[in-house]
Amino acid sequence: MFPQQVHRYLRDFFQQTDCAIIEEADHYLTVQLTIEMDKRIMNRPFYWKYVESTNGTPCPSTLTFITNQNKMNGSLNGEIVHFGSFRLNQLFQVTKELGAYVQMYERVDKTVSQVVLTPFLGINYKVSYYCDQTKEMLYSLGINLMTGNIIDDFQMLLNNLDLGSELPDSCYPLPYIIKPVRAIQRLDAVIENIINQEDHSWAEQAKKRWQRDQRVLDYFYEEVEEKPECYEIEKKALEERYASKIKIEIINGGLFYLK
């Protein structure tokens, strides 16, 4: 996940959770948290218990997130956020809790009558590549439940639309032809195809590093006929460190009726 993707995710996350973005450049953003979001991510239970018990004036936190250190000019106090960082993983988890699944409708001009809305299924995936090093990628896919057409970067499309949780009075939602369960299977297949087309030399390189370290370990115990328990523990640790794995995870998804 590139710095600009992290930055865009942070901006979208805080906008969707009603947190005000006070200041922003292409490498950082400063956010005023809401009370609810402060309680979720700032780990200040005693503060909020005190405020609520004394009827005090709440003061939710203001945070600055640095998303690209390479573009920093001068000093900037803030929290560095990158793919794999604690804060970003925390926000991924909050996203799951708040919006694992949504059903939304595109808002339309109230003066227009009988607008037909087409159903789409959208899913945001996280693909993690594990060995002694880790790489994670985000993919956003959508599928038209009438035609089966698949759309890349579906979240970017949604970000430019005015969506609401209630069906507008002047709209008629089409009943989907492709069932959501079948649509998920088709999107899963797209993600698997993307993974299959990736360069997997990283796994071979990890295997070579594994074999190298295993030879070093064997060298120290080559004259020991019956290997001790510590040898087996170290051997298992090498396997856990270097064995290549790929994990596909759905971050969130939803059914969207768009004009």
Side-chain angles (χ1 to χ4, degrees):
M1 191 175 183
F2 299 107
Q4 59 267 32
Q5 293 175 302
V6 173
H7 187 98
R8 187 166 59 241
Y9 180 85
L10 291 178
R11 186 203 311 120
D12 293 343
F13 174 89
F14 288 113
Q15 286 179 336
Q16 293 298 321
T17 54
D18 297 323
C19 298
I21 297 178
I22 300 173
E23 188 175 353
E24 180 180 12
D26 59 354
H27 63 290
Y28 79 92
L29 70 165
T30 301
V31 179
Q32 174 63 62
L33 300 182
T34 61
I35 292 175
E36 178 186 0
M37 194 51 56
D38 189 294
K39 290 179 178 180
R40 281 185 175 272
I41 72 174
M42 293 308 296
N43 192 26
R44 301 198 295 168
F46 297 111
Y47 169 78
W48 287 110
K49 184 176 181 180
Y50 172 78
V51 169
E52 291 166 359
S53 63
T54 60
N55 291 323
T57 302
C59 186
S61 303
T62 299
L63 299 177
T64 295
F65 299 105
I66 300 170
T67 54
N68 193 339
Q69 290 179 273
N70 296 328
K71 292 187 176 181
M72 288 179 59
N73 293 319
S75 61
L76 177 64
N77 293 324
E79 182 177 344
I80 298 172
V81 180
H82 55 82
F83 215 57
S85 65
F86 167 78
R87 181 67 76 187
L88 192 59
N89 288 334
Q90 181 192 43
L91 298 185
F92 284 156
Q93 183 60 38
V94 173
T95 300
K96 289 183 184 179
E97 296 169 359
L98 294 178
Y101 172 82
V102 296
Q103 181 167 317
M104 305 192 76
Y105 305 87
E106 185 173 0
R107 294 191 177 100
V108 299
D109 189 338
K110 293 182 179 180
T111 61
V112 180
S113 60
Q114 293 301 310
V115 177
V116 175
L117 299 181
T118 302
F120 291 80
L121 180 79
I123 297 180
N124 292 322
Y125 291 90
K126 180 172 74 170
V127 179
S128 303
Y129 301 83
Y130 296 103
C131 57
D132 56 323
Q133 301 173 354
T134 302
K135 182 178 78 169
E136 297 177 318
M137 300 293 292
L138 287 181
Y139 298 94
S140 182
L141 299 176
I143 180 170
N144 186 318
L145 297 182
M146 304 299 294
T147 66
N149 290 337
I150 293 175
I151 304 170
D152 292 328
D153 293 327
F154 188 65
Q155 187 63 49
M156 289 294 294
L157 171 66
L158 296 179
N159 290 343
N160 295 321
L161 301 178
D162 185 11
L163 301 173
S165 58
E166 296 183 2
L167 175 66
D169 294 335
S170 59
C171 293
Y172 171 73
L174 292 174
Y176 46 74
I177 295 175
I178 302 172
K179 294 182 178 180
V181 172
R182 176 57 182 155
I184 292 173
Q185 293 173 347
R186 293 182 63 176
L187 294 183
D188 286 348
V190 172
I191 288 295
E192 291 175 3
N193 185 55
I194 291 173
I195 293 173
N196 290 335
Q197 293 181 4
E198 289 283 340
D199 179 7
H200 294 291
S201 59
W202 60 274
E204 289 299 321
Q205 293 167 2
K207 184 177 180 180
K208 291 179 180 178
R209 293 192 295 272
W210 182 3
Q211 293 171 340
R212 178 200 61 198
D213 287 2
Q214 182 64 50
R215 287 195 297 268
V216 173
L217 177 63
D218 291 339
Y219 172 78
F220 285 107
Y221 291 92
E222 63 181 355
E223 296 182 359
V224 180
E225 184 173 342
E226 185 174 346
K227 300 295 189 291
E229 182 181 359
C230 59
Y231 170 84
E232 297 299 333
I233 292 175
E234 291 183 55
K235 183 177 179 180
K236 181 65 175 178
L238 290 178
E239 179 182 357
E240 293 176 351
R241 180 182 181 187
Y242 287 110
S244 56
K245 299 179 289 292
I246 299 176
K247 180 182 178 182
I248 303 174
E249 184 179 0
I250 293 178
I251 299 176
N252 51 29
L255 192 60
F256 302 90
Y257 288 88
L258 310 178
K259 62 183 179 181

Short mmCIF file of all heavy atoms in Angstrom, two decimals, residues 120-149:
data_model
loop_
_atom_site.label_atom_id
_atom_site.label_comp_id
_atom_site.label_asym_id
_atom_site.label_seq_id
_atom_site.Cartn_x
_atom_site.Cartn_y
_atom_site.Cartn_z
N PHE A 120 -25.34 -2.72 -7.23
CA PHE A 120 -23.95 -3.11 -7.34
C PHE A 120 -23.52 -3.72 -6.00
O PHE A 120 -23.97 -3.27 -4.94
CB PHE A 120 -23.04 -1.91 -7.62
CG PHE A 120 -23.19 -1.32 -8.99
CD1 PHE A 120 -24.25 -0.46 -9.28
CD2 PHE A 120 -22.29 -1.61 -9.99
CE1 PHE A 120 -24.40 0.10 -10.54
CE2 PHE A 120 -22.42 -1.05 -11.26
CZ PHE A 120 -23.48 -0.19 -11.53
N LEU A 121 -22.65 -4.70 -6.06
CA LEU A 121 -22.01 -5.21 -4.86
C LEU A 121 -20.58 -4.72 -4.85
O LEU A 121 -19.87 -4.87 -5.85
CB LEU A 121 -22.04 -6.74 -4.83
CG LEU A 121 -21.39 -7.36 -3.59
CD1 LEU A 121 -22.34 -7.29 -2.40
CD2 LEU A 121 -20.99 -8.81 -3.84
N GLY A 122 -20.15 -4.12 -3.75
CA GLY A 122 -18.78 -3.63 -3.63
C GLY A 122 -18.07 -4.28 -2.46
O GLY A 122 -18.66 -4.45 -1.39
N ILE A 123 -16.82 -4.67 -2.65
CA ILE A 123 -16.03 -5.29 -1.59
C ILE A 123 -14.63 -4.69 -1.59
O ILE A 123 -14.00 -4.53 -2.65
CB ILE A 123 -15.92 -6.82 -1.78
CG1 ILE A 123 -17.30 -7.48 -1.68
CG2 ILE A 123 -14.98 -7.44 -0.73
CD1 ILE A 123 -17.27 -8.98 -1.85
N ASN A 124 -14.13 -4.38 -0.40
CA ASN A 124 -12.75 -3.94 -0.22
C ASN A 124 -11.95 -5.10 0.38
O ASN A 124 -12.30 -5.61 1.45
CB ASN A 124 -12.68 -2.72 0.70
CG ASN A 124 -13.29 -1.49 0.06
OD1 ASN A 124 -13.15 -1.27 -1.14
ND2 ASN A 124 -13.98 -0.68 0.84
N TYR A 125 -10.91 -5.50 -0.33
CA TYR A 125 -10.08 -6.63 0.08
C TYR A 125 -8.72 -6.14 0.59
O TYR A 125 -8.18 -5.15 0.10
CB TYR A 125 -9.81 -7.56 -1.09
CG TYR A 125 -10.99 -8.34 -1.61
CD1 TYR A 125 -11.80 -7.82 -2.63
CD2 TYR A 125 -11.28 -9.62 -1.14
CE1 TYR A 125 -12.86 -8.54 -3.14
CE2 TYR A 125 -12.34 -10.34 -1.65
CZ TYR A 125 -13.13 -9.80 -2.65
OH TYR A 125 -14.19 -10.52 -3.15
N LYS A 126 -8.16 -6.90 1.53
CA LYS A 126 -6.75 -6.73 1.91
C LYS A 126 -6.04 -8.05 1.63
O LYS A 126 -6.46 -9.10 2.11
CB LYS A 126 -6.59 -6.36 3.38
CG LYS A 126 -5.12 -6.17 3.77
CD LYS A 126 -4.97 -5.61 5.19
CE LYS A 126 -5.26 -6.65 6.23
NZ LYS A 126 -4.88 -6.19 7.59
N VAL A 127 -4.97 -7.98 0.83
CA VAL A 127 -4.18 -9.17 0.52
C VAL A 127 -2.82 -9.01 1.20
O VAL A 127 -2.11 -8.02 0.97
CB VAL A 127 -3.99 -9.35 -1.00
CG1 VAL A 127 -3.14 -10.58 -1.29
CG2 VAL A 127 -5.34 -9.46 -1.69
N SER A 128 -2.48 -9.97 2.05
CA SER A 128 -1.23 -9.91 2.82
C SER A 128 -0.30 -11.03 2.36
O SER A 128 -0.72 -12.18 2.26
CB SER A 128 -1.52 -10.05 4.32
OG SER A 128 -2.42 -9.06 4.76
N TYR A 129 0.95 -10.66 2.09
CA TYR A 129 1.98 -11.62 1.70
C TYR A 129 2.95 -11.75 2.87
O TYR A 129 3.56 -10.76 3.29
CB TYR A 129 2.72 -11.13 0.46
CG TYR A 129 1.84 -10.90 -0.75
CD1 TYR A 129 1.13 -9.70 -0.91
CD2 TYR A 129 1.71 -11.87 -1.74
CE1 TYR A 129 0.31 -9.49 -2.02
CE2 TYR A 129 0.91 -11.66 -2.86
CZ TYR A 129 0.21 -10.47 -2.98
OH TYR A 129 -0.59 -10.27 -4.08
N TYR A 130 3.08 -12.96 3.40
CA TYR A 130 3.90 -13.17 4.58
C TYR A 130 5.07 -14.09 4.30
O TYR A 130 4.94 -15.12 3.65
CB TYR A 130 3.07 -13.82 5.70
CG TYR A 130 1.92 -13.00 6.22
CD1 TYR A 130 0.61 -13.29 5.84
CD2 TYR A 130 2.13 -11.95 7.11
CE1 TYR A 130 -0.45 -12.55 6.33
CE2 TYR A 130 1.08 -11.20 7.60
CZ TYR A 130 -0.21 -11.51 7.21
OH TYR A 130 -1.26 -10.77 7.69
N CYS A 131 6.25 -13.72 4.80
CA CYS A 131 7.39 -14.61 4.97
C CYS A 131 8.20 -13.94 6.09
O CYS A 131 7.60 -13.52 7.08
CB CYS A 131 8.18 -14.81 3.67
SG CYS A 131 8.78 -13.30 2.90
N ASP A 132 9.52 -13.83 5.95
CA ASP A 132 10.27 -13.06 6.95
C ASP A 132 10.08 -11.57 6.71
O ASP A 132 10.49 -10.75 7.53
CB ASP A 132 11.75 -13.42 6.93
CG ASP A 132 12.38 -13.23 5.56
OD1 ASP A 132 11.71 -13.51 4.55
OD2 ASP A 132 13.55 -12.80 5.50
N GLN A 133 9.44 -11.22 5.60
CA GLN A 133 9.04 -9.85 5.31
C GLN A 133 7.55 -9.86 5.00
O GLN A 133 6.98 -10.89 4.69
CB GLN A 133 9.84 -9.30 4.13
CG GLN A 133 11.34 -9.30 4.35
CD GLN A 133 12.11 -8.92 3.10
OE1 GLN A 133 11.55 -8.74 2.03
NE2 GLN A 133 13.43 -8.81 3.24
N THR A 134 6.92 -8.70 5.09
CA THR A 134 5.47 -8.62 4.90
C THR A 134 5.12 -7.52 3.91
O THR A 134 5.71 -6.43 3.96
CB THR A 134 4.75 -8.35 6.23
OG1 THR A 134 5.06 -9.39 7.16
CG2 THR A 134 3.24 -8.31 6.04
N LYS A 135 4.20 -7.82 3.03
CA LYS A 135 3.66 -6.81 2.12
C LYS A 135 2.14 -6.96 2.10
O LYS A 135 1.61 -8.06 2.08
CB LYS A 135 4.21 -6.99 0.69
CG LYS A 135 3.71 -5.91 -0.27
CD LYS A 135 4.31 -6.07 -1.67
CE LYS A 135 3.62 -7.17 -2.44
NZ LYS A 135 4.01 -7.15 -3.89
N GLU A 136 1.45 -5.82 2.13
CA GLU A 136 0.00 -5.83 2.12
C GLU A 136 -0.52 -4.90 1.04
O GLU A 136 0.04 -3.82 0.82
CB GLU A 136 -0.55 -5.41 3.49
CG GLU A 136 -0.18 -6.37 4.60
CD GLU A 136 -0.67 -5.91 5.96
OE1 GLU A 136 -0.56 -4.70 6.24
OE2 GLU A 136 -1.14 -6.74 6.74
N MET A 137 -1.59 -5.31 0.36
CA MET A 137 -2.18 -4.52 -0.71
C MET A 137 -3.68 -4.44 -0.51
O MET A 137 -4.32 -5.38 -0.02
CB MET A 137 -1.89 -5.15 -2.07
CG MET A 137 -0.42 -5.28 -2.42
SD MET A 137 0.40 -3.68 -2.66
CE MET A 137 -0.42 -3.13 -4.16
N LEU A 138 -4.25 -3.29 -0.89
CA LEU A 138 -5.69 -3.10 -0.84
C LEU A 138 -6.26 -3.11 -2.25
O LEU A 138 -5.68 -2.54 -3.17
CB LEU A 138 -6.05 -1.77 -0.17
CG LEU A 138 -5.86 -1.67 1.34
CD1 LEU A 138 -6.30 -0.29 1.81
CD2 LEU A 138 -6.62 -2.75 2.07
N TYR A 139 -7.40 -3.77 -2.40
CA TYR A 139 -8.11 -3.80 -3.68
C TYR A 139 -9.59 -3.51 -3.42
O TYR A 139 -10.16 -4.02 -2.45
CB TYR A 139 -7.98 -5.16 -4.36
CG TYR A 139 -6.56 -5.54 -4.70
CD1 TYR A 139 -5.80 -6.32 -3.83
CD2 TYR A 139 -5.97 -5.14 -5.89
CE1 TYR A 139 -4.50 -6.67 -4.13
CE2 TYR A 139 -4.66 -5.49 -6.21
CZ TYR A 139 -3.93 -6.26 -5.32
OH TYR A 139 -2.64 -6.60 -5.63
N SER A 140 -10.17 -2.71 -4.27
CA SER A 140 -11.59 -2.39 -4.17
C SER A 140 -12.27 -2.78 -5.48
O SER A 140 -11.94 -2.24 -6.53
CB SER A 140 -11.80 -0.90 -3.87
OG SER A 140 -13.17 -0.61 -3.73
N LEU A 141 -13.19 -3.73 -5.39
CA LEU A 141 -13.87 -4.23 -6.59
C LEU A 141 -15.37 -4.08 -6.44
O LEU A 141 -15.93 -4.21 -5.34
CB LEU A 141 -13.54 -5.70 -6.83
CG LEU A 141 -12.07 -6.07 -7.07
CD1 LEU A 141 -11.93 -7.57 -7.19
CD2 LEU A 141 -11.53 -5.37 -8.30
N GLY A 142 -16.03 -3.80 -7.56
CA GLY A 142 -17.48 -3.74 -7.60
C GLY A 142 -17.99 -4.57 -8.75
O GLY A 142 -17.29 -4.78 -9.74
N ILE A 143 -19.23 -5.06 -8.61
CA ILE A 143 -19.83 -5.83 -9.69
C ILE A 143 -21.28 -5.40 -9.88
O ILE A 143 -22.02 -5.24 -8.90
CB ILE A 143 -19.73 -7.35 -9.41
CG1 ILE A 143 -20.36 -8.15 -10.55
CG2 ILE A 143 -20.33 -7.72 -8.07
CD1 ILE A 143 -20.10 -9.65 -10.46
N ASN A 144 -21.64 -5.15 -11.12
CA ASN A 144 -23.02 -4.81 -11.47
C ASN A 144 -23.86 -6.08 -11.36
O ASN A 144 -23.61 -7.06 -12.06
CB ASN A 144 -23.05 -4.26 -12.90
CG ASN A 144 -24.42 -3.73 -13.30
OD1 ASN A 144 -25.44 -4.35 -13.01
ND2 ASN A 144 -24.43 -2.59 -13.99
N LEU A 145 -24.85 -6.06 -10.47
CA LEU A 145 -25.66 -7.26 -10.22
C LEU A 145 -26.71 -7.49 -11.30
O LEU A 145 -27.48 -8.46 -11.21
CB LEU A 145 -26.31 -7.17 -8.85
CG LEU A 145 -25.35 -7.14 -7.66
CD1 LEU A 145 -26.11 -7.10 -6.34
CD2 LEU A 145 -24.39 -8.32 -7.69
N MET A 146 -26.74 -6.63 -12.31
CA MET A 146 -27.63 -6.84 -13.45
C MET A 146 -26.86 -7.43 -14.63
O MET A 146 -27.33 -8.35 -15.29
CB MET A 146 -28.27 -5.52 -13.87
CG MET A 146 -29.04 -4.82 -12.76
SD MET A 146 -30.42 -5.79 -12.11
CE MET A 146 -31.49 -5.82 -13.54
N THR A 147 -25.66 -6.90 -14.89
CA THR A 147 -24.90 -7.30 -16.08
C THR A 147 -23.69 -8.18 -15.77
O THR A 147 -23.18 -8.86 -16.66
CB THR A 147 -24.39 -6.05 -16.82
OG1 THR A 147 -23.43 -5.36 -15.99
CG2 THR A 147 -25.54 -5.11 -17.14
N GLY A 148 -23.21 -8.13 -14.54
CA GLY A 148 -22.01 -8.89 -14.20
C GLY A 148 -20.72 -8.17 -14.49
O GLY A 148 -19.63 -8.72 -14.25
N ASN A 149 -20.79 -6.93 -14.99
CA ASN A 149 -19.57 -6.16 -15.26
C ASN A 149 -18.85 -5.84 -13.96
O ASN A 149 -19.48 -5.43 -12.97
CB ASN A 149 -19.90 -4.86 -15.99
CG ASN A 149 -20.35 -5.10 -17.42
OD1 ASN A 149 -20.03 -6.13 -18.01
ND2 ASN A 149 -21.10 -4.16 -17.97
#
